[in-house]
Amino acid sequence: MLTLSATLAFSAEPPSQGVVLAAEPRTFAEAKALPPKLTESAACDLGPGKTPDITVSQSVEVTQAIPDFCRPAEAVITQKLSLPDGSQVERSFRVVDDAPGTQLPPPPPRPRIRVRCEARRLELSVEGVPEAPLLTLEPIGIGATSASVKFRVSRDSEARILPLLVRDDAGARGALEELDFLVGKGVPSRLSGRDTKLPEADSVAGLAAALERARNHAVLAAGGDLGTYIPRDVLAPDLEGDRPPLKTGEPETIGELQPPEPDSTADSDLFWRQGRLCVVQQDTGKRMRCYDPVARRWGKAVSVNRGDQSAWSPRMGRCGIPLGTRNVRPPESFQPELRLSPRAVLLWNTWTHETLVMEVPEGDGPPRMRAPEAEELKKAMLASTGSRLLGGGRFILDEDRKQFCSVGRPLGCWSLQWDRGPEDEGGNRLSEARVSPDGRWVAYLRGAAPSKVDSDDRTLGLVVRSLELGPYVAPREPVSTAPRLVRTDVVMQKPAWDGPALKWNDDERLTRARISCDLGQDPRIPFELETKRTASPYNPLDPADACHSGWVKLRQELTVPGGLKFVRYASAVTGDSRSSEGDVKMRCQPGRLSLWVEGVPDFPALTLTANMGAFGAVRWALAPETETRLHALLARDDAPAIEALNAFARLVKLNEDAREVSYGKKPNEDGHISRMGCLSTALEAISARRALADGGHPELHVSLKTDGACAERYGMRVLQQRLKAATLPLPLSVGAVKGKAEVIGQVPFVPSIPPELQPQLYWRDGTLCLVQADGAQVRCYDPAAREWGPVVARQDRPFPREDLLLKSQYHPGTCYPMGGRSVPLSEQMRDVLPLSSRASLIADTSRGELAPEFKVIEVPEDVGPVRTRAPTVEELALAARAGGGSASLGNGRFLLHVPKNERSPWLCTAVRPWMCSKLPLESEAYGVRAPLVSPDGRWLSYVRIPWGKPDDPAKYPKELVLLPLTPIP
């Protein structure tokens, strides 16, 4: 056995048996006696010809004591364990050689870990922890290098570990901690980069998730806190009645103060005395002024008087905290909060939020830790010069994270709600909080003082605000922040909102739920889907957005174990139950999960097969019956079949929209539904069928994949031929005019099309007019003469239809002014062409940027509702001829459409059947923006921008280009 231990008994067992990671040394003498460095390896037989190594290493770094700085000697032991899959586990021990009587009793030492290969399996055992079962991992794939070895949890290990997961006693907690260290800290591979041909669920990740759930359950059962940085009311805003009713007044800045040095042991310059906040004048340190928060005024300067309790400072010096006649160092992560007596101090753990009392006995016994008592906290708080305790010692303030936490069990933290407005704390950094002894006020230092923002001065603003804690009874048992468990088959409600109406500055409303799903897994491992719905104000930045009164934005999210996620974004009107999308429902069966959209006749249910591994791990695949349903619908040409296929594609897109991939990392294909089976080909077939029904792009049949088994299964070659036959030729010959394009000038920025309230570019009397930088003058270009005219006053060459400019001052998702009203439009609705004071042409891109649907939004003269109708060629032609340039050409039959993130504009038919064709006006080095057709249809102007280049006008100018148009037959 290769063993790293204090005795270094390497020869006790042969190397072929594996390695041992030694237990933590109990004393400094043991740690100091270890050799500085050790490294040993053992071969691991995982299959024929495959013997990767198990390696263990240990380093010891001893630092000598420095008495002048009260720094004791210490030894840091670092151990590393490397496994055959290339992963590692690392742990460190710090052993301090403190003086006798100043050390707290050490926690139980970390145990030995034995790793060996037996019967071509990897065995990991935790020795000295009786409740920790043996963990056995089996190889499921071995490549050319050891890094390609992948493991799964053996079924016998699952049987040994499952009973442990439902226990919360002390023995189980210790075993769970050690197993979580092995599994959750990186030892086994997560199979994220495995060969996709391996149909294995990631049972190691399933075990890691199960251990995390079990550890969290054990911690909460003991009244502990999970140590998250997110307050409970932020993590679970739908948990009503959980937050203690703490109210705080508005912040009042009353002065400026220099903060203390980080390691200073001097008395604070900020303290409470007789109900007033006193501040030592830092120029002399001998005088102080006190602020009365009730009267809101400062008193006169007097001699410094901190009172009797000032000698009871809880600050920690270099040697620790003075307790009696000793200096005691608190445990790691604990900081002193309040002196309870000359021999006792209250400590708070900034990570676990645990509060303990550290005290020394009157004799020579060692210091000890214990839970605080309510009465001693009240007494010490009232006698202090200020602390971070509030509510009679029931809570402690954490101003750094803007939260307050319970002192007694069950532990928990809640937000102070100090970021609700521009005048509150928001992102300000807070420090040095002092709650008054009566708990009615809090003072703290905020960020940099306004007068010192741009200087090197460390002066901070001094703020005071009131505190009020209402009646509150702490629960005897911790309340879980997990979503509630419900019995339903609806995993995504239709996008509707039944209230309340949200104003622009209201908080988001979150609804969460867990839904059980029985796939035939072990009942001791819950398999649950989690759904969230977030309703937020429609326009949180604009309180004057009256047209969206009652509107909310909805974000719905469905998470399925195994890496599946779906996200749907929508807008809704409060109280309006109508919706274009229905409920998403699910059905769970042994080995099967089905999803479908309610209210869509003939919807082909999306059924996935579940390849279950140990501990609820699952890997999804597309069920054959899903493609059978799609084949049946694709063979039909009726409207219900097309609608069912489109709804299916939208459901799959919810999965695509939910995929978040970190920069530089490859996406996890397990959660990518469109990559399963031949579904990507099926989606192409659905898109082609929709194009045949509604019109499509000539380029679509070129991009169709017609080779391979999937393409043959879905008849992609036949679809390609049908698209070619249905595709009309491009009505505008770009090649005939492309060489005649002329750069006629430069513009500082891309103008808005249609022109806004202050138009920058427009056509008038056959010339293209460019507004000058001062906004009061204009210069026009005559395309026939090919020259610029003189600069004239703008009023002499005004925009032809200024009565329509107000309507063009519109951005997607905001209010659209029309006919004396403000019409709410979604972000997918874009202004194309104002037709009159009461009607405008809008491009609806909700089906996709490359599939616009042109509609006329019309406001009646009476108070009737806003109408939506199809445009006519005649009204588009009339509006184009009467305006100052537009996107319309071909006598109203065609429209220019500029999709987001596309280099070239598209030429689309204005009425059904819709069809779009790309206009490659420039090379790949340039993008085309702001295309504007002259009223007579003879000229096209646009702005040419260097594609993919930074916005640097001097180096990469934006050029104004003019192009003659040939008549469209």
Side-chain angles (χ1 to χ4, degrees):
M1 178 66 63
L2 299 180
T3 306
L4 296 182
S5 64
T7 57
L8 302 180
F10 293 139
S11 60
E13 294 183 46
S16 60
Q17 295 300 310
V19 296
V20 169
L21 210 61
E24 178 181 5
R26 296 287 297 177
T27 65
F28 176 77
E30 290 181 6
K32 187 178 180 180
L34 295 173
K37 289 187 180 296
L38 283 174
T39 300
E40 294 291 343
S41 299
C44 181
D45 183 8
L46 296 174
K50 302 297 180 181
T51 56
D53 287 345
I54 310 170
T55 303
V56 64
S57 65
Q58 177 175 287
S59 64
V60 181
E61 183 177 354
V62 178
T63 304
Q64 300 300 323
I66 306 178
D68 292 344
F69 290 90
C70 207
R71 184 178 299 171
E74 67 176 26
V76 177
I77 301 101
T78 302
Q79 298 177 337
K80 292 182 181 180
L81 171 66
S82 300
L83 292 188
D85 67 344
S87 57
Q88 291 185 343
V89 159
E90 181 175 329
R91 63 181 184 180
S92 296
F93 312 129
R94 178 173 175 265
V95 184
V96 179
D97 186 25
D98 268 333
T102 64
Q103 281 189 327
L104 291 164
R110 298 297 299 274
R112 295 204 319 169
I113 296 175
R114 183 186 298 272
V115 184
R116 68 171 186 168
C117 286
E118 180 72 18
R120 296 182 179 176
R121 303 199 305 179
L122 187 67
E123 294 182 350
L124 299 96
S125 60
V126 180
E127 300 183 350
V129 181
E131 304 290 345
L134 176 69
L135 174 60
T136 305
L137 302 178
E138 301 171 337
I140 58 174
I142 304 178
T145 64
S146 61
S148 64
V149 178
K150 309 299 177 184
F151 289 114
R152 67 181 168 206
V153 181
S154 66
R155 288 296 182 178
D156 53 331
S157 275
E158 184 182 29
R160 289 190 294 266
I161 295 175
L162 277 175
L164 183 70
L165 301 179
V166 297
R167 294 169 47 189
D168 54 27
D169 56 278
R173 289 198 298 271
L176 289 171
E177 181 179 0
E178 294 303 329
L179 285 175
D180 183 60
F181 166 72
L182 285 176
V183 178
K185 300 301 185 292
V187 166
S189 169
R190 292 292 177 271
L191 304 180
S192 58
R194 70 180 184 275
D195 186 350
T196 56
K197 294 180 181 179
L198 289 174
E200 281 285 347
D202 194 347
S203 58
V204 175
L207 173 58
L211 289 171
E212 182 180 9
R213 287 194 301 267
R215 285 197 68 196
N216 291 347
H217 171 73
V219 170
L220 292 175
D225 189 63
L226 298 180
T228 175
Y229 283 119
I230 306 176
R232 289 174 59 88
D233 55 323
V234 175
L235 185 65
D238 54 342
L239 196 61
E240 298 181 359
D242 176 65
R243 184 183 185 274
L246 178 67
K247 298 180 180 179
T248 60
E250 295 297 322
E252 180 184 2
T253 303
I254 61 173
E256 298 179 357
L257 196 68
Q258 284 274 357
E261 295 294 333
D263 298 327
S264 173
T265 59
D267 292 327
S268 174
D269 290 336
L270 185 67
F271 58 92
W272 289 90
R273 178 169 172 76
Q274 297 177 350
R276 296 183 299 169
L277 178 66
C278 298
V279 180
V280 176
Q281 294 183 336
Q282 295 178 321
D283 53 349
T284 65
K286 298 179 179 180
R287 309 278 287 176
M288 71 179 188
R289 294 184 67 192
C290 298
Y291 180 81
D292 187 337
V294 178
R296 301 182 65 181
R297 65 170 179 262
W298 286 95
K300 296 180 179 180
V302 297
S303 299
V304 173
N305 184 358
R306 292 185 171 87
D308 297 336
Q309 294 298 317
S310 64
W312 288 17
S313 171
R315 288 183 177 272
M316 182 171 64
R318 290 177 176 175
C319 301
I321 303 174
L323 295 179
T325 59
R326 320 178 205 175
N327 288 303
V328 182
R329 299 181 187 276
E332 190 175 357
S333 298
F334 278 88
Q335 62 184 29
E337 294 296 338
L338 178 64
R339 175 75 70 165
L340 305 180
S341 74
R343 295 180 175 272
V345 66
L346 184 70
L347 304 178
W348 188 62
N349 190 308
T350 57
W351 173 244
T352 64
H353 306 143
E354 185 176 16
T355 310
L356 294 173
V357 175
M358 184 173 70
E359 64 180 358
V360 296
E362 293 187 1
D364 297 330
R368 57 177 178 261
M369 304 284 284
R370 62 172 175 83
E373 299 177 1
E375 288 302 319
E376 71 175 337
L377 293 183
K378 285 183 182 179
K379 181 179 178 181
M381 182 179 171
L382 290 172
S384 72
T385 58
S387 65
R388 296 204 300 168
L389 296 181
L390 55 94
R394 301 171 65 188
F395 302 97
I396 187 168
L397 193 73
D398 181 5
E399 75 278 11
D400 183 42
R401 298 193 181 105
K402 301 181 180 66
Q403 62 183 7
F404 67 105
C405 307
S406 57
V407 170
R409 293 179 181 268
L411 303 178
C413 295
W414 300 267
S415 67
L416 286 167
Q417 299 180 347
W418 283 359
D419 55 356
R420 293 185 174 273
E423 301 301 324
D424 215 329
E425 300 308 342
N428 294 326
R429 182 173 179 83
L430 312 180
S431 61
E432 297 298 313
R434 296 286 188 276
V435 178
S436 60
D438 59 9
R440 296 177 55 196
W441 304 92
V442 60
Y444 53 85
L445 301 183
R446 169 204 290 161
S451 62
K452 310 293 183 181
V453 171
D454 298 325
S455 71
D456 296 332
D457 197 328
R458 295 175 56 246
T459 301
L460 306 180
L462 176 58
V463 182
V464 66
R465 62 198 306 166
S466 62
L467 296 175
E468 181 183 353
L469 181 64
Y472 175 71
V473 178
R476 293 185 177 181
E477 297 181 355
V479 180
S480 174
T481 56
R484 58 193 177 93
L485 187 63
V486 299
R487 297 179 60 86
T488 182
D489 60 350
V490 178
V491 292
M492 270 190 181
Q493 295 179 332
K494 66 179 181 180
W497 180 246
D498 55 5
L502 300 180
K503 299 188 296 295
W504 71 278
N505 58 347
D506 282 342
D507 291 333
E508 294 179 342
R509 304 299 175 93
L510 175 65
T511 305
R512 305 177 302 154
R514 291 177 293 136
I515 306 171
S516 293
C517 180
D518 185 6
L519 298 177
Q521 75 279 4
D522 192 297
R524 290 172 291 186
I525 299 294
F527 194 91
E528 296 170 346
L529 285 67
E530 186 171 332
T531 179
K532 299 178 183 179
R533 183 179 66 165
T534 304
S536 57
Y538 188 86
N539 195 347
L541 302 178
D542 185 7
D545 186 0
C547 72
H548 287 106
S549 176
W551 283 57
V552 296
K553 287 186 177 180
L554 297 176
R555 183 186 186 275
Q556 297 171 287
E557 180 181 307
L558 170 65
T559 304
V560 183
L564 292 184
K565 184 180 286 188
F566 300 80
V567 172
R568 177 161 66 183
Y569 299 91
S571 301
V573 179
T574 303
D576 189 353
S577 60
R578 297 172 297 177
S579 174
S580 60
E581 299 286 341
D583 294 336
V584 178
K585 290 190 172 183
M586 67 94 180
R587 181 187 299 114
C588 293
Q589 299 170 293
R592 289 286 193 279
L593 171 67
S594 297
L595 298 169
W596 70 94
V597 178
E598 188 75 359
V600 180
D602 300 329
F603 187 94
L606 173 62
T607 301
L608 304 174
T609 58
N611 183 350
M612 301 297 296
F615 299 100
V618 60
R619 189 177 186 193
W620 299 101
L622 191 68
E625 54 263 38
T626 300
E627 297 197 66
T628 301
R629 300 182 190 114
L630 292 175
H631 276 292
L633 286 172
L634 285 168
R636 294 162 49 184
D637 286 325
D638 55 285
I642 299 299
E643 175 54 31
L645 289 170
N646 290 341
F648 178 88
R650 290 196 298 270
L651 176 61
V652 176
K653 191 176 186 302
L654 300 185
N655 170 252
E656 296 293 312
D657 292 344
R659 294 176 55 77
E660 299 176 356
V661 181
S662 300
Y663 178 76
K665 293 186 178 180
K666 294 182 178 180
N668 182 0
E669 296 298 330
D670 286 350
H672 210 316
I673 292 178
S674 64
R675 300 293 186 269
M676 297 180 182
C678 289
L679 193 54
S680 61
T681 305
L683 294 174
E684 282 191 341
I686 292 172
S687 177
R689 293 301 305 273
R690 184 173 60 195
L692 287 171
D694 294 336
H697 310 299
E699 287 81 1
L700 182 59
H701 63 76
V702 178
S703 63
L704 289 181
K705 299 180 180 66
T706 57
D707 296 328
C710 289
E712 183 177 352
R713 182 184 305 177
Y714 282 95
M716 300 303 289
R717 194 172 297 278
V718 175
L719 277 175
Q720 184 187 56
Q721 294 171 355
R722 292 182 61 185
L723 280 170
K724 284 183 178 180
T727 298
L728 300 177
L730 187 66
L732 179 63
S733 177
V734 178
V737 297
K738 192 171 182 179
K740 299 179 182 179
E742 180 183 6
V743 177
I744 62 173
Q746 296 182 3
V747 292
F749 53 85
V750 177
S752 297
I753 303 296
E756 293 186 349
L757 187 60
Q758 301 293 333
Q760 301 298 312
L761 187 69
Y762 55 88
W763 287 89
R764 182 177 178 89
D765 300 333
T767 62
L768 181 64
C769 299
L770 179 64
V771 178
Q772 301 302 290
D774 60 3
Q777 299 182 98
V778 65
R779 193 180 185 194
C780 300
Y781 182 84
D782 186 344
R786 300 181 66 181
E787 63 180 7
W788 286 95
V791 175
V792 298
R794 183 175 172 180
Q795 61 187 10
D796 296 335
R797 305 278 290 182
F799 186 82
R801 290 292 305 273
E802 292 189 345
D803 58 312
L804 300 182
L805 285 177
L806 179 63
K807 300 208 330 308
S808 297
Q809 191 182 20
Y810 163 72
H811 299 283
T814 60
C815 303
Y816 188 81
M818 186 190 319
R821 302 192 200 178
S822 291
V823 180
L825 298 179
S826 70
E827 295 181 0
Q828 288 76 34
M829 309 287 277
R830 298 186 192 171
D831 185 19
V832 175
L833 177 62
L835 303 178
S836 70
S837 60
R838 294 184 176 275
S840 279
L841 182 70
I842 300 294
D844 182 356
T845 60
S846 57
R847 296 195 313 165
E849 286 289 329
L850 301 182
E853 180 179 352
F854 298 103
K855 304 174 181 179
V856 173
I857 307 295
E858 193 170 35
V859 174
E861 294 185 2
D862 55 19
V863 294
V866 176
R867 294 191 293 262
T868 301
R869 61 173 175 83
T872 65
V873 171
E874 291 75 18
E875 67 180 337
L876 297 183
L878 180 62
R881 286 194 296 267
S886 68
S888 176
L889 67 164
N891 293 321
R893 291 174 297 154
F894 301 96
L895 291 165
L896 290 173
H897 172 63
V898 183
K900 293 180 180 178
N901 303 321
E902 288 284 325
R903 288 187 176 91
S904 301
W906 291 69
L907 182 66
C908 303
T909 53
V911 296
R912 284 182 180 269
W914 291 304
M915 185 173 293
C916 292
S917 307
K918 183 185 291 186
L919 283 179
L921 299 175
E922 293 286 345
S923 68
E924 293 295 313
Y926 294 96
V928 174
R929 292 293 180 265
L932 190 65
V933 179
S934 62
D936 58 9
R938 297 176 56 195
W939 302 93
L940 171 64
S941 69
Y942 60 87
V943 175
R944 183 172 74 176
I945 61 174
W947 192 255
K949 301 299 183 181
D951 188 8
D952 185 351
K955 192 173 182 179
Y956 304 106
K958 300 175 178 64
E959 297 173 320
L960 182 60
V961 181
L962 192 63
L963 179 73
L965 294 178
T966 57
I968 297 180

